[in-house]
Amino acid sequence: MTQKTPERTEPREDRPDPHRWRVLGVTLAVGFMVLLDVTIVNVAIPSMREGLDTSTGTIQWVVSGYALALGLTLVTGAGSATPTDAGG
């Protein structure tokens, strides 16, 4: 009986992706834009309350609905931007 010796293969070099810094920059920019967007909505609350002639509770629902819609849009957009053939 002969035994097969395992072939020696060179170790695979696990190098970080060179585009990781670009992805980090885009992620930070998107986070900043979301923070800025929510801040703008919160600054506009008094004008919205006066323009809609409504109570504070109703405006809280409007702002919560806006934040929910924004979050769902971001998640959906991220999901559609993810490549499906990511291999792995």
Side-chain angles (χ1 to χ4, degrees):
M1 278 205 279
T2 60
Q3 291 182 350
K4 292 184 179 180
T5 57
E7 294 180 19
R8 288 191 169 202
T9 59
E10 294 186 25
R12 194 176 102 198
E13 294 182 30
D14 290 329
R15 293 184 183 166
D17 188 4
H19 299 292
R20 69 184 185 276
W21 296 113
R22 189 175 300 163
V23 171
L24 177 64
V26 169
T27 303
L28 290 175
V30 168
F32 172 74
M33 294 302 287
V34 168
L35 180 64
L36 183 66
D37 192 38
V38 171
T39 301
I40 290 170
V41 169
N42 283 325
V43 167
I45 286 176
S47 299
M48 290 186 330
R49 185 171 179 216
E50 184 180 317
L52 296 173
D53 192 32
T54 187
S55 67
T56 305
T58 304
I59 293 298
Q60 286 177 344
W61 277 105
V62 169
V63 172
S64 296
Y66 174 77
L68 180 64
L70 178 66
L72 289 174
T73 303
L74 288 174
V75 169
T76 305
S80 66
T82 303
T84 55
D85 57 352

